[in-house]
Amino acid sequence: MDILAVQRALKAQGFDPGPLDGIWGRLTAAAVKAFQRKNGLPVGLLTPETERAILTNAPTQLQQTGLVWYDEAMRLMGTAERPGPANNPVILDWAEDLDLAYGDDDIPWCGLFVAHCIGSMLQDEALPNGPLGARNWLKFGRQSRPALGAVLVFWRVARDSWQGHVGFYAGEDNDTLKVLGGNQSNRVSYARISKSRLLGARWPKTASTVGYGPIVDDLGGMATGGSEA
């Protein structure tokens, strides 16, 4: 059984499975039972019948954009680091797959998230040196305008500091950019970041076309990105 797929499908249907980490735990078990009760299924174990129902009933969570790296980013929505000394093995696996030295999800992982999405989906695309460093993504691919799926690089603390943040363009309003990124409030999520903080937008060299944009988006109620790292 694909526990991570079940967790994502449960979350999309309004049943909270806890962290999207692919691990069977009490919260996931409780969400499965709640789903079973609501759908008239025998309450208890995650049987093949229940798994099929969960996955079949799930709404189309992710509209496929044709931008495979961005589709992967959307698929991972909600993936979160674990509090305290524990680590989410899903996040650690991204680093292992890319042969990157990374051992603790308390270490900022916005660059790791972008590296995973691009590295796993565009295997002929060269990643920047030191992809864990957000500002290193300014040397990735080719210069682009902000467009769906573009890699956006922002400054943090100060424009001339070494600190930054990186994520994918998902929309904008007059003053802010909607960013799909990792390590935003300690999870993969959308954040609203001021356009004044944008250092540059980049596009994969091996992707034939540039995504469409700008995308005018109603960002009302979305927290301003201040906890990204």
Side-chain angles (χ1 to χ4, degrees):
M1 294 183 179
D2 188 341
I3 301 301
L4 186 56
V6 167
Q7 289 174 328
R8 291 194 180 108
L10 285 167
K11 187 176 182 67
Q13 296 173 79
F15 301 94
D16 183 10
L20 303 182
D21 54 11
I23 297 174
W24 182 262
R26 289 183 298 172
L27 291 176
T28 301
V32 166
K33 290 177 181 178
F35 175 90
Q36 290 169 328
R37 292 188 191 97
K38 183 175 180 179
N39 290 274
L41 295 168
V43 177
L45 299 176
L46 176 59
T47 63
E49 178 188 13
T50 294
E51 182 182 22
R52 283 193 300 271
I54 291 171
L55 298 178
T56 301
N57 289 354
T60 303
Q61 303 173 63
L62 309 175
Q63 180 181 357
Q64 297 296 300
T65 65
L67 308 172
V68 291
W69 67 94
Y70 186 76
D71 289 341
E72 172 69 359
M74 290 194 296
R75 186 184 71 82
L76 292 167
M77 184 74 73
T79 304
E81 63 185 61
R82 291 185 172 179
N87 294 297
N88 187 336
V90 173
I91 296 173
L92 299 188
D93 284 347
W94 299 342
E96 183 176 353
D97 291 343
L98 294 169
D99 197 25
L100 296 174
Y102 181 86
D104 189 332
D105 64 17
D106 280 338
I107 299 170
W109 48 276
C110 62
L112 175 58
F113 172 70
V114 173
H116 162 75
C117 293
I118 291 177
S120 64
M121 295 291 107
L122 298 174
Q123 296 183 358
D124 293 329
E125 184 74 31
L127 299 179
N129 291 330
L132 297 179
R135 290 192 182 220
N136 291 338
W137 286 91
L138 287 170
K139 300 178 182 178
F140 166 72
R142 53 195 169 97
Q143 188 174 354
S144 169
R145 68 181 190 277
L148 186 68
V151 174
L152 303 182
V153 183
F154 300 90
W155 59 265
R156 286 200 308 126
V157 182
R159 180 175 289 273
D160 58 356
S161 77
W162 60 269
Q163 297 180 73
H165 181 64
V166 62
F168 297 110
Y169 176 95
E172 63 185 275
D173 63 10
N174 288 336
D175 303 313
T176 61
L177 292 159
K178 180 180 179 182
V179 180
L180 171 54
N183 207 179
Q184 297 180 163
S185 298
N186 298 327
R187 65 183 60 244
V188 178
S189 63
Y190 291 115
R192 184 173 63 183
I193 301 178
S194 172
K195 288 181 177 180
S196 65
R197 289 178 49 196
L198 182 67
L199 293 173
R202 311 293 296 184
W203 193 259
K205 287 183 178 180
T206 59
S208 58
T209 58
V210 175
Y212 54 87
I215 302 170
V216 179
D217 197 296
D218 180 7
L219 304 182
M222 183 180 298
T224 301
S227 60
E228 79 277 353

